[in-house]
Amino acid sequence: MNIKIAPSILSADFSVMGEAVKKLQDCGADLIHCDVMDGSFVEPITFGGQMVKNIRPLTSLPLDAHLMIEHPKTQIKFFAEAGADIITVHYKACRKISESYLEETLRLIKSYGVKCGAVVNPDVPVENIFPVFPLCDMVLLMSVYPGYGGQKFIPEVMDKIKKAREYAVSIGKGDMDIEIDGGVTSANCADIKRAGANVLVAGSAVFNSSDWTGTISQLKA
Ligand code: DX5
Ligand code: ZN
């Protein structure tokens, strides 16, 4: 499968975000992962649709908006109109509202012509989102608890990657994107890819390195 590296701009210096985004593209990134946090679903607050709108003209790479927010339906319009190419929403945030909210939100994202995905935290069985696999362009498996960059990869998630890939294959969506987010390094990326993930988010691994091109190609190889 085509491996894609999605550096997370959460680890960027926000005062020079535009420069970081341009540099990521020059250094071989495949997507720009935008971590949106609301101070409620997760503790920190990062940015909203305006950031996506401002970086949109600076790169031709797909913008991958990871919404770690309550009531995601209320924000879809803003991210879609800002130019996000894919929007992912958390199972937990949706499930709090109603049983059908996740599916409704995914359909809303698609109604804007934007790709959609469902996200599960490390403690949520991936089976919980099997019912929406047919709707999803991507599923995102968190390998840390969301909120902060620079955490350690939770190894139990490896098994969920395998289950997700097997299930995708079983429903005829073997080429679906399976994204892993949190604690990805050059030391664990081979195992992550072998388990069946093909989109790797990397925040600190890229931003803390002095050679972004080298790090991105290492993660991809
Ligand atoms: C965590 C975010 C991640 C994070 C990844 O809540 O969703 O995207 O920035 O950062 P690293 O790669 O440092 O774990
Ligand atoms: Zn993320």
Side-chain angles (χ1 to χ4, degrees):
M1 261 204 108
N2 188 15
I3 304 294
K4 293 178 260 189
I5 306 301
S8 164
I9 57 170
L10 178 63
S11 296
D13 175 347
F14 282 26
S15 70
V16 286
M17 187 60 86
E19 295 314 309
V21 167
K22 285 189 256 177
K23 183 173 164 191
L24 287 171
Q25 176 154 4
D26 292 343
C27 292
D30 298 290
L31 294 95
I32 303 291
H33 185 81
C34 305
D35 281 313
V36 178
M37 303 186 186
D38 66 351
S40 175
F41 183 71
V42 289
E43 272 185 330
I45 296 177
T46 53
F47 51 76
Q50 185 68 36
M51 177 68 85
V52 169
K53 191 174 178 178
N54 289 167
I55 64 176
R56 178 67 288 174
L58 305 180
T59 178
S60 56
L61 295 179
L63 300 179
D64 169 25
H66 173 195
L67 304 191
M68 287 163 273
I69 63 173
E70 310 278 7
H71 302 279
K73 234 194 237 181
T74 63
Q75 288 294 312
I76 301 308
K77 175 182 194 285
F78 300 110
F79 285 90
E81 288 175 353
D85 296 277
I86 176 150
I87 300 174
T88 59
V89 295
H90 273 256
Y91 169 84
K92 265 193 172 167
C94 294
R95 198 50 198 248
K96 258 190 217 171
I97 298 167
S98 76
E99 206 168 310
S100 57
Y101 192 94
L102 175 59
E103 180 175 338
E104 288 161 22
T105 309
L106 295 170
R107 288 191 191 282
L108 178 63
I109 297 168
K110 282 184 118 53
S111 76
Y112 286 94
V114 173
K115 290 182 178 172
C116 70
V119 192
V120 285
N121 272 0
D123 61 347
V124 176
V126 66
E127 287 83 352
N128 290 21
I129 56 167
F130 280 178
V132 295
F133 266 45
L135 263 178
C136 288
D137 299 287
M138 177 158 90
V139 296
L140 169 48
L141 308 177
M142 293 302 304
S143 40
V144 299
Y145 284 90
Y148 301 94
Q151 303 181 74
K152 270 213 157 62
F153 184 88
I154 298 171
E156 286 73 28
V157 173
M158 254 354 147
D159 205 44
K160 286 165 75 173
I161 305 175
K162 287 187 197 130
K163 282 187 191 163
R165 181 59 70 198
E166 278 164 21
Y167 186 68
V169 169
S170 79
I171 62 165
K173 289 189 71 166
D175 60 351
M176 185 167 80
D177 283 332
I178 296 179
E179 183 176 48
I180 282 292
D181 187 3
V184 174
T185 65
S186 51
N188 60 21
C189 66
D191 287 340
I192 292 169
K193 290 180 273 191
R194 207 172 302 122
N198 70 307
V199 184
L200 275 55
V201 175
S204 43
V206 171
F207 281 88
N208 292 348
S209 127
S210 53
D211 173 17
W212 291 12
T213 306
T215 303
I216 290 169
S217 75
Q218 225 177 19
L219 293 170
K220 209 191 282 209

